[in-house]
Amino acid sequence: MPSTGPATESLTSSGCPSTMSEKFAARIKNHFASLTDPRRRKVTYPLINIVAIALCAVIAGADDFVTIAAWGRQKRAWLARFLDMTSGIPSHDRFNAVFKAIKPDEFERCLLSWITSLHEVTAGQVVAIDGKTLRQSFDKADAKSAIHMVSAWATANHISLGQVVVDQKSNEITAIPKLLELLDVSGCLVTIDAMGCQAEIAGQIIEGKADYVLAVKANQPTLHGGIVEYFLDHMEDDFARVKVSRHETKEHGHGRDEHRTYLVCDVPDDLPDRGRWKGLKRIGVAISNTVRGGKPCDEVRYYILSKKLSARSFGAAVRGHWGIENSLHWQLDMSFGEDRSRIRRGHANANFAVVRRMALSLLKNEKSQKAGVKTKRLTAGWNDDYLEHVLFGT
């Protein structure tokens, strides 16, 4: 068991707090009770203060340790409603040093405990797993390459369920099993792009009582070739010999016309490489015909499915997976400046990335204000009541 240290002992209320403040304080304490304090010397600032102030500040618009410390100094009186602020606000160097040393896996579990206590993951929903490189996280001085984070995103709830850090994109194959070990995906439909189309990963998903929709490309040449050949053969007579589920969509907007066709068939008995894929029940193809600026662009993607989805549901899963780009990755860059972040030392970049994803999840699940994430962050910085609403769902 990790040492709870100051993380469980330092949280108190100052003055004469209200019952609601005491409730909030207890909630913060409970969620961070298992976080190990990495410091070995006498502690001036409780660990719970450092992580809670950082999360609040990031929600309220801070994007680095300097602005976190500055926000904390401005909001000390408000923070004293939930935290023991006797020692004041740590310097930005102290925030950096602690975040550099905190164990990312423990920290992530604490934050995930917080958000799932507020927003339960919808049963049966799509959980998209995908990777993102933090472009400015490399450090030439320490010969440290840019980190690559593999994240799980609950598409219906807009909740970041967890992430694992690797030092290059090719390591997604080893990171995805570690991420799945952290998650409870039972009853969910897990979608992963072709990098994660591995027999071991498919088996792990099934063992976790979930289902999968995995993109298949040339990294699985036998399986990919068999699926391509099957669909090309049956498209010639418009699937007259086999049953097919078909769904089509047409969209116009943003200067482009898109026609998407989704086809799903039961997995054929003679599909090459079929036996390696646990739970395999269907194969699918998504065909996209796009005209942008008068120029046509066609794209065909092939998939394996462990669940007998209709073409409509298959299409929703495929579209839901790529929604991680807009709902998570794009927002992290545009609203939190993740790709511009220069935080690099130790575990600081990985831990700060976890805070960003937690903050984004909380902001997206705040529904009272009909505004974008960037506007919500500004509002949380201006309005303490709104910040409490984001943090605690009050």
Side-chain angles (χ1 to χ4, degrees), residues 322-376:
W322 294 113
I324 194 174
E325 292 291 337
N326 293 327
S327 297
L328 179 62
H329 298 163
W330 185 85
Q331 288 283 8
L332 289 170
D333 288 339
M334 299 304 296
S335 301
F336 290 82
E338 182 165 83
D339 266 355
R340 300 186 300 275
S341 175
R342 309 287 287 184
I343 298 171
R344 299 170 175 174
R345 298 299 176 88
H347 298 307
N349 47 12
N351 285 323
F352 208 98
V354 172
V355 173
R356 290 191 200 100
R357 284 155 176 75
M358 170 68 172
L360 176 61
S361 299
L362 290 170
L363 288 162
K364 276 187 166 291
N365 278 277
E366 198 297 298
K367 305 297 185 183
S368 69
Q369 184 173 134
K370 304 301 180 183
V373 171
K374 189 172 183 178
T375 300
K376 287 183 176 182

Side-chain angles (χ1 to χ4, degrees), residues 114-130:
W114 185 331
I115 195 167
T116 53
S117 73
L118 297 175
H119 308 286
E120 185 176 355
V121 177
T122 303
Q125 75 163 299
V126 173
V127 173
I129 294 179
D130 198 22

Side-chain angles (χ1 to χ4, degrees), residues 155-317:
T155 60
N157 297 81
H158 296 286
I159 293 174
S160 177
L161 297 177
Q163 42 273 318
V164 171
V165 177
V166 295
D167 58 6
Q168 53 185 314
K169 183 176 175 60
S170 61
N171 286 348
E172 282 190 21
I173 294 173
T174 58
I176 292 172
K178 294 178 182 177
L179 180 57
L180 287 170
E181 288 175 3
L182 297 175
L183 307 177
D184 178 8
V185 294
S186 57
C188 294
L189 184 65
V190 179
T191 62
I192 313 177
D193 65 13
M195 180 71 77
C197 185
Q198 307 290 328
E200 296 78 9
I201 292 174
Q204 187 177 359
I205 293 170
I206 296 299
E207 289 168 7
K209 298 182 179 179
D211 284 293
Y212 59 75
V213 173
L214 305 180
V216 183
K217 289 186 179 180
N219 62 326
Q220 296 291 344
T222 304
L223 179 66
H224 181 258
I227 296 174
V228 172
E229 183 179 353
Y230 179 88
F231 278 109
L232 289 178
D233 177 33
H234 288 288
M235 283 178 182
E236 289 184 357
D237 59 7
D238 198 25
F239 295 89
R241 291 165 286 151
V242 296
K243 290 183 179 180
V244 63
S245 177
R246 189 192 313 259
H247 178 62
E248 297 185 37
T249 64
K250 293 182 179 180
E251 296 180 9
H252 174 74
H254 305 289
R256 64 186 180 188
D257 293 294
E258 292 182 298
H259 179 199
R260 293 186 176 90
T261 303
Y262 303 98
L263 304 168
V264 179
C265 294
D266 287 340
V267 60
D269 293 335
D270 59 351
L271 180 70
D273 207 28
R274 171 180 176 170
R276 289 201 308 123
W277 302 89
K278 189 171 184 177
L280 178 59
K281 290 185 175 63
R282 288 196 161 182
I283 56 175
V285 59
I287 305 168
S288 174
N289 305 113
T290 304
V291 177
R292 183 184 291 108
K295 296 181 179 180
C297 178
D298 299 333
E299 188 173 26
V300 181
R301 292 191 179 99
Y302 298 93
Y303 296 85
I304 55 173
L305 300 75
S306 68
K307 189 174 184 178
K308 290 199 171 186
L309 298 176
S310 66
R312 180 186 292 273
S313 297
F314 165 62

